[in-house]
Amino acid sequence: MLSEKVTEFVSRSMKIDLESVFDRFDKDDIRNYKNELESAVTLFAQAIFDQIESGIVIDMLSCGENPAEVVINQHSVELSDHISSEAAESVLDSLRHAFCSFAFGGLHQLFTRQENEVWYPKIILDEVLEPNDIDALPEIITLYRGTDLAELNSKRFGQSWTTSKDVAREFAFKHYASQSWFKEESRLILSASISREYVYFSNQSCEF
């Protein structure tokens, strides 16, 4: 069980939907390692707390690891040696990546560098993320999302959409084609129009 401090940090500062995390921990092939994974989350959060309290300023141009990343990566390696479940090890690695991203570049790095080829903690923005170029968008925006039929049926849509239909097509049919779960016949492109006032983040370069 996570402490109140860790729960608040993960859900409010990192914007991670803890329900998505705990649901994953309860899967049959992962449940046996639930306590170890929860302890890892606590340790990862504490590493970031210690880094913040130390007053260290992270050099965003540096290729080296910051103190929190060192602790997080080291613990992940040590814990993975005691995990015999491939699924649990994959969850641990996704958590490691998420916390290292936040330790390096805060919420901006975490949100924009999500790795969704496999399970990844669900990040839900509920406030504007800066820097952004929201003002460059038209008042009414047409958006696209490359996804799966299951998402359409569930009506639980992810937050990452694009203003480029070509980019959405790549996410629908190319980026994940090598994954075992990929089924081309269930892939599709969604389209929606929304008002600019409901946008929390925009970067109109690369993936638009």
Side-chain angles (χ1 to χ4, degrees):
M1 176 178 271
L2 304 182
S3 69
E4 184 177 343
K5 180 181 180 181
V6 171
T7 297
E8 183 171 344
F9 172 72
V10 173
S11 59
R12 295 188 181 180
S13 297
M14 298 182 71
K15 307 297 183 185
I16 288 178
D17 175 21
L18 280 172
E19 183 178 349
S20 74
V21 175
F22 294 137
D23 282 350
R24 192 65 179 180
F25 287 177
D26 281 331
K27 297 295 183 183
D28 288 341
D29 47 357
I30 297 169
R31 190 178 298 120
N32 288 340
Y33 297 96
K34 181 177 181 178
N35 291 338
E36 289 86 346
L37 291 170
E38 286 186 353
S39 295
V41 169
T42 297
L43 187 146
F44 294 168
Q46 187 60 53
I48 296 176
F49 295 157
D50 293 344
Q51 178 172 288
I52 293 171
E53 290 171 5
S54 72
I56 292 175
V57 177
I58 304 304
D59 180 3
M60 299 296 288
L61 300 178
S62 172
C63 295
E65 294 180 323
N66 57 56
E69 287 181 278
V70 171
V71 173
I72 292 167
N73 285 326
Q74 182 177 343
H75 182 72
S76 294
V77 170
E78 293 172 353
L79 181 54
S80 65
D81 288 340
H82 301 283
I83 294 178
S84 58
S85 163
E86 201 172 302
E89 193 168 351
S90 177
V91 168
L92 173 62
D93 190 60
S94 290
L95 291 169
R96 177 202 61 77
H97 183 277
F99 278 84
C100 280
S101 293
F102 190 90
F104 178 75
L107 183 58
H108 191 282
Q109 181 84 3
L110 172 57
F111 185 77
T112 60
R113 296 294 184 268
Q114 298 174 58
E115 292 191 344
N116 294 314
E117 290 83 0
V118 293
W119 177 86
Y120 202 81
K122 188 173 184 179
I123 302 154
I124 304 178
L125 293 182
D126 58 6
E127 60 186 45
V128 172
L129 179 61
E130 296 182 343
N132 63 68
D133 57 18
I134 294 173
D135 290 343
L137 298 171
E139 290 189 10
I140 301 297
I141 314 150
T142 298
L143 298 174
Y144 305 94
R145 178 171 169 83
T147 187
D148 194 274
L149 181 61
E151 182 174 297
L152 176 63
N153 290 337
S154 72
K155 306 301 182 189
R156 298 181 65 184
F157 304 111
Q159 285 189 309
S160 295
W161 294 63
T162 174
T163 55
S164 168
K165 193 171 185 178
D166 287 338
V167 169
R169 185 176 291 107
E170 290 180 0
F171 276 93
F173 302 109
K174 292 183 179 180
H175 287 333
Y176 306 127
S178 63
Q179 301 301 317
S180 60
W181 48 262
F182 183 89
K183 292 184 175 62
E184 185 171 1
E185 63 273 16
S186 69
R187 303 296 290 174
L188 46 78
I189 299 172
L190 302 177
S191 177
S193 294
I194 68 165
S195 170
R196 183 174 62 193
E197 68 179 299
Y198 299 118
V199 177
Y200 288 135
F201 176 73
S202 170
N203 179 4
Q204 290 301 295
S205 62
C206 187
E207 292 179 354
F208 303 94

